[in-house]
Amino acid sequence: YFEFRYPTVDKGERTFQAAVCPEFNDNEEVETIISFMRDINDLKQAEQALKQSEHKFHLLFDNAPVGYQSLDENGCFLDVNQAWLDILGYDRHEVIGKWFGDFLPPELADIYREKFKQNIQSHGLIQNVEFPLMRKDGSIVLADYMARIGRDEEGRFLRTHCAFSDITEKRKAEEVLKKTQCLLTETEKIGKVGGWEFNIDTEKQTWTEEVYNIHEVDLTHDPTVRKGVNFYAPASRPIIEQAVQQAINHDEPFDVELEIITVKGNLRTVHTIGKADLEHRRIYGFFQDITEKKRLQAQLLQFQKA
């Protein structure tokens, strides 16, 4: 068999496959030559397209920013991409054929065997499952997994396709943020100080937790600029209204001590500082309950006069 390119009348140059078979007489001389030829141009084009498709797939597979893996029905690795190897620090020969549970912390291997395999086989798909994976150096990667079973046309199991992203740093950042927010909340409570901001156009206001506490409202209260102004005592209300308007019109910050009446009817002295951010159409600031501070200052003044 051999292949060759040959020009045709109506379809241009095409690829053909040919075979030549000689027939011999009794004297072992070539008597006839039998040959056949068929047009395999379409087949060759399909083969070329398949090769290009496979090449593109492997480029995507190996250069994807997430880890990909495929597992057999026993949970053993059939294939992994380069990102998987880079994230966990292994060479390919150290992974292929190994059981997935070998790359989990030992205490989780049995849980994987019982839960993950059962769930994927029962539902055919799992999403947003977090697994701690062990790097080759023993450190832990927190992975967010998605897995799907691949089946043939008759429904027989072929392999499990899995993809994961490394969310280790994301979870660390979330934990730091959580601790920071907790520290900020506790600090606000100790200092009886909170923060606020509002959108100039919508007048929608945002308070930190301590501002709710100072006004003696629960966290279901929906603050707006008008509601906030209405908490101020009658003598203080025009002062805060003018200060806010000056901030909006002339970008002037304000720093005032005024009185509010809480939702429970308690009179409190507050120190509020505000600053405009006109580019982002907001005003934000500081809000502190200084009632006790003022009471102590008054007592000290009386003592000094006595």
Side-chain angles (χ1 to χ4, degrees), residues 226-240:
R226 181 46 49 193
K227 289 178 182 178
V229 168
N230 287 340
F231 276 104
Y232 284 90
S236 297
R237 196 171 300 164
I239 299 173
I240 191 63

Side-chain angles (χ1 to χ4, degrees), residues 166-180:
D166 181 355
I167 59 171
T168 309
E169 295 305 317
K170 177 183 176 183
R171 288 289 179 263
K172 286 180 179 178
E174 289 174 348
E175 187 62 28
V176 170
L177 179 60
K178 183 179 178 180
K179 289 180 179 179
T180 301

Side-chain angles (χ1 to χ4, degrees), residues 9 15 28 32 57 70 115-116 143 155 184 213 231:
V9 174
T15 302
E28 297 185 354
T32 58
F57 169 78
S70 58
K115 302 293 184 182
F116 183 88
L184 178 60
N213 294 336
F231 276 104

